[in-house]
Amino acid sequence: MTVIPTPATQQALGIPSLFLLVLIGALVPVVPTGALVSTAAVVAFHQEEPFSLALVFVTASLAAFCGDATLYWLGRRGMRSKNGSRWLEAIRARAPEERLAQAQEKLADHDVAVLVLSRLVPAGRIPVMLACLMAKWPLRRFVRGNLPACLAWAVTYQLIGILGGSLFPEPWEGVVAAVALTVAVSAAPSLWRRFRRSRTV
C-alpha cells in the first residue's frame, strides 16, 4: 500500500530542502536554482494548503539573499587577504574579462539597479558581484542593493512555475513545463549573443 504524503508533510520536507538547495546554489553557482524555485511553485500551485506559494517565495528569496551575502562576505575577506581565498578565485573563474568589464561599466552608470538586473540575467550575478568587490563596496551597501534583486528573482521564477502549473492538470506535467521554460529563459541570452556574433562575422 502506497502512502501519499499530505500537503503539510510535503511542505515540512520540501521547504527546508528548497532553502538548503537555493543557498548552496548561491554559494556554488552550478545548481539550477531557478528551476528549483519554478518546480516548487508548481507543487505549491497544485496544493490546497493556504499560503503555499507565499511560503515558496519567502523561502527562495531568503535563501538566495543569505547565499549572496555570504559569498560576498567571503569575497571581501579574500580581497583583503594577501593570499586571496578559494572563494574569491571561484568568483573570478566564473567572471570572464569581457563580462566583468561590462559589469563594471554598468555598475558605474546605474549603481544598485545593476544588481537587480544581474539576478535576472543568466550568468549575470557573478560578474556584477565581482565588480562590486573590485569597487570596494561595503557589505552593507551590497546587501541593501541585493535584497530587491533576490525578491525580483524569486518572483520571476515563481511566476514561471505558476504558468507551468496552470497549463496542465497534473503536477508532474507542470514541473516538466516549468523546467523547460526555465531552461529556455536561461539559454536565450547565450543564444542571442552567438547569433549576434555570427551576424557580425
Side-chain angles (χ1 to χ4, degrees), residues 7 10 14 28 47 50 70 82 97 115 118 130 162 176 179 181:
Q10 291 175 13
V28 185
Q47 288 179 347
T70 302
K82 291 182 179 179
E97 290 298 325
L115 281 174
S118 73
L130 183 56
I162 292 172
V176 171
V179 170
L181 284 169

Side-chain angles (χ1 to χ4, degrees), residues 36-70:
L36 290 172
V37 176
S38 296
T39 299
V42 171
V43 175
F45 180 81
H46 284 280
Q47 288 179 347
E48 296 180 357
E49 291 290 310
F51 309 116
S52 294
L53 287 170
L55 194 56
V56 169
F57 168 72
V58 170
T59 302
S61 53
L62 181 62
F65 177 78
C66 291
D68 284 356
T70 302

Side-chain angles (χ1 to χ4, degrees), residues 86-97:
R86 64 188 184 92
W87 290 103
L88 182 59
E89 290 304 317
I91 295 173
R92 283 178 171 160
R94 293 188 170 274
E97 290 298 325

Side-chain angles (χ1 to χ4, degrees), residues 55-125:
L55 194 56
V56 169
F57 168 72
V58 170
T59 302
S61 53
L62 181 62
F65 177 78
C66 291
D68 284 356
T70 302
L71 186 59
Y72 191 78
W73 177 76
L74 290 169
R76 276 181 56 81
R77 286 191 63 188
M79 293 288 284
R80 291 195 298 266
S81 172
K82 291 182 179 179
N83 299 322
S85 72
R86 64 188 184 92
W87 290 103
L88 182 59
E89 290 304 317
I91 295 173
R92 283 178 171 160
R94 293 188 170 274
E97 290 298 325
E98 180 184 348
R99 300 291 299 277
L100 176 59
Q102 291 175 354
Q104 288 176 309
E105 182 180 345
K106 291 176 181 176
L107 190 67
D109 293 339
H110 304 289
D111 202 58
V112 171
V114 177
L115 281 174
V116 178
L117 185 61
S118 73
R119 253 287 176 189
L120 300 178
V121 175
R125 179 175 67 100

